[in-house]
Amino acid sequence: MTIEDLTRLQFAVTTLYHYLFVPLSISLALFTALLQTAHLRRVRRGNTDDTFGRLSLLVGKLLMTTFAVGVVTGLVQEFQFGLSWSSFARFYGDVFGPTLAVEGMLAFFLEATFLGLWWFGRDRLPALVHLATIWIVAVGTAISAFVILAANSFMQNPVAYTIDAQTGRARLGSFSELLFNEVNLAAFPHTYAGAVMAGGALVMAVGVWHLLRGDYAEDTREFAAFRTLSRFGAWALLAGGGLVALSGDVLGKVITQVQPMKMAAAEALYRTTTGAPFSIFSYAPPGSDKPTFSLEVPGFLSFLAKGSFSAQVLGTKDLQDAYVAQFGPGDYVPWIPVAFWSFRLMIGVGMFAVVVAAAHLWVTRKSRVLRPDRRLAQGLLWSVGLLPLLPLAANSFGWIFTETARQPWLVFGLFKTADGVSPGLTFAEVAASLAAFTVVYGALAVVWVKLAVRLVRKGLPEIPAPAPTERAADDEFVTTY
Amino acid sequence: MELSVLWFGIAVLAWVLFFVLEGFDFGVGFLGPLLGRTEAERGAAVRTVGPVWDGNEVWLVAAIGVTFAAFPDWYAALLSGLYLPMIALLLLLAVRGVAIEFRGKHDTARWRNRCDAALAASSLLLAGTWGAVLGVLVSGLALSPGGEVHVQGWLGGLGRSLDPLFGPWAVLGGFAGVLLTTVHGATFLALRTTGVLRQRARRLTIATAPALLVVALALFIAAGHAVVAAAAALLAVAAVAAWRRAEALAFAATTLAVAGSVVAVFTAHLQTGAGTGAWVLLRSTLGPSGDVTLGAAAASPAALHLITVAGVVILPGVLAYQAWSYWVFRRRVASGPSRRTARPAAVGRAAR
């Protein structure tokens, strides 16, 4: 294994890990804001039922624990370009640096500061101001996602830059052009909807788990609350799934335009084909250019790529020849099995989660409740443990596909991955840091899961009464300088 | 004024804000378990930073982001040259953040004790390691002309980026970091708590400040930097103010001492390239050809222009709402019974 391989592995591990917590933070912030808004509307109408308030507190607690891990692992991401990829940072700093700086200043400050205000400010802020703090967090997470995806979209489809003749480095042209990269315009809704799916699956699982465990009698408020939560999560999962499919279709067509090699790799399409089929499953022995077995939907790949069942789709072999002519000798074909399977798993796993959500909505339609003795309900119970993992897995497969099928390029057509590694870095350093990341990240994961399970197990939290001691202490401060 | 000079100023400001704000966070992190004898007292100590630590830590995101945006070469040289220390800092920050945030989310004594232990250990190590890294900035890195440290070092290459931590400046920086953080955290705790915690924190300030004063004076004699002398004077002010129960003044003094020290570190070598007129951001111990200079490390005018527009629009807002969040949480945190709370009528003016 070379330093480059190990550094790439480290980047993949730290990034995929970070991205388990990001989509959950994005969606749980949105859900907390929505639930608290519902609560406040009820309070304003004189309704004393505090179900939505308590639900917002439960989801908010999950948000706080998730956000904490997301923050500390996100910090690693921001340092990583200088730590392990300093040549890349020098080449690309002019474009990437401002993007990261703007994300930090514009969005991350908002999220961190206002999340603290939301959690600790419950009895210090007027109700509407308190509600505004969590909405600011939710909007901040969306801005973060948009700006960071703009940086990634540049790596998929470089725009708004010039190459400095003197230094050979990328120079930023227009920032708005960078933000509104056509890849980003499709990738942002796709990623955001994927995040909503992740949070939806989590809260749905929490609700279903309490209903089926029989913690509460059917006529209690808690039972009604968890029924509401499970259906809320299922609707979010369903809506997110719909938007993921739509935006994914648009994104696929854009990527076919800007990175035809990626889509060819996703389909393992060796030769340029007119009216190309989409294979759901295929097996090709190593080294062969034709699968020995495959299950295909005729013309569907052409439709996915170009919007027409008879359109021509370029194959990897022809693209390789074209790239050699354009960029010089080299291997421009990414690792096909990874591209092929991550693409299918992303779609398949995500679709499965949507089916589970639809089944739950059907079973609990109108005022029906889950019956643990019915077969479909038992199936649901079996799937709740798995359910929160499905959209997270789909998100991860999506990123694996996006990032590995761009190889050997770091910035497509401009800068190769092999040229980006920090030149001074030693093998021992990367190995040691990878080991340290594995240990600490592993421990964080165990603690997070333990804490999340405990939070969920405890059931619906009560809305805490204001702490009286701190009010008394306040008088003291006023007279102290 | 050149934009690159302005952005050097903004980068240093972001680093100063990070060390000032997280400085007392780190101090509270290891002083809380030390000064809080009961779990309620330890909880009160953590609650003084609970609402704001996350916003404080974002100044690190801002500092490193601004450094990357305005001076990509500085960012690349600093981080790749200090690879392992930086990884250690990131992992310690991870443990610390999670320990603070998870502490109150589950209510058993064992859980809280474990979180407190993790918080104290990581906070102390962070204060020392950040201090050492700032010390390295004073002594410089073995940068070759490309801006990289290529020395293999001991332990099959591990020494490449660990070695700088064992220089005299780094060791001194580590000590100074822990001491300064102790005083800064103690003045903050005294300002933000009531009862026994407040009394103990005040006593700790009075006890530690003179020790730091000695270190600062030694540094002043060694380096001759005027800022170090100013920091020493400020620590004397902090000790006297704590003794006179002027807690806000004591905190202001340690804040200025931390800020001054950080500014001194970041400007330590600006003038060393005086012969060539180039401002040195990061000194190379291998000779001037490896120095990272302000002019060469700066991003293109277009990028600087962009972040100037963004910064002018966004940063005042950030400062405003962060100040507001401190205002919202301005109340002291109660830390259990003390002589004063037993007689509520005496609370108030007696605090002076």
Side-chain angles (χ1 to χ4, degrees), chain A residues 138-160:
Chain A
V139 171
T141 57
I143 300 174
S144 270
F146 186 75
V147 177
I148 290 299
L149 283 170
N152 182 267
S153 297
F154 180 89
M155 292 160 73
Q156 313 294 346
N157 177 37
V159 293

Side-chain angles (χ1 to χ4, degrees), chain A residues 8-30:
Chain A
R8 278 183 65 186
L9 179 66
Q10 176 163 306
F11 195 90
V13 167
T14 50
T15 308
L16 285 173
Y17 187 86
H18 176 58
Y19 207 75
L20 296 177
F21 300 92
V22 172
L24 289 177
S25 298
I26 291 174
S27 49
L28 293 178
L30 179 69

Side-chain angles (χ1 to χ4, degrees), chain B residues 54-144:
Chain B
D54 209 352
N56 293 345
E57 197 158 295
V58 180
W59 282 103
L60 177 60
V61 177
I64 205 73
V66 164
T67 306
F68 191 5
F71 306 99
D73 284 21
W74 188 19
Y75 166 88
L78 186 65
L79 293 187
S80 69
L82 283 170
Y83 183 85
L84 286 177
M86 287 293 174
I87 298 269
L89 285 171
L90 289 170
L91 292 176
L92 285 168
L93 282 170
V95 171
R96 204 187 82 94
V98 166
I100 295 183
E101 215 49 67
F102 285 10
R103 186 184 190 279
K105 300 291 182 295
H106 181 63
D107 42 353
T108 64
R110 205 173 68 145
W111 176 270
R112 289 193 175 160
N113 287 340
R114 283 186 180 173
C115 285
D116 281 340
L119 172 61
S122 55
S123 297
L124 186 66
L125 284 169
L126 276 163
T129 315
W130 271 121
V133 164
L134 289 182
V136 172
L137 290 190
V138 176
S139 57
L141 282 168
L143 298 169
S144 54

Side-chain angles (χ1 to χ4, degrees), chain A residues 10 64 78 82 86 90 94 105 109-110 113 124 169 171 423-424 426 428-429 433 454 474 476 479 481, chain B residues 61 64 73 75 80 83 101 106 111 147-148 152 156-157 160-161 194 198 248 299-300 314 321-322 331 349:
Chain A
Q10 176 163 306
M64 293 291 292
E78 206 195 14
S86 65
R90 288 190 181 92
D94 217 57
M105 291 191 290
F109 268 126
L110 279 181
T113 312
R124 309 233 165 133
R169 296 178 186 179
R171 288 283 176 236
T426 61
E429 283 177 312
S433 60
R454 277 172 173 174
D474 186 37
E476 196 178 19
T479 55
Y481 57 89
Chain B
V61 177
I64 205 73
D73 284 21
Y75 166 88
S80 69
Y83 183 85
E101 215 49 67
H106 181 63
W111 176 270
E148 290 280 326
Q152 275 283 309
R160 184 188 78 99
S161 54
T194 64
R198 180 176 173 186
S300 72
I314 301 165
Y321 63 67
Q322 282 217 331
R331 285 177 195 144
R349 312 247 174 264

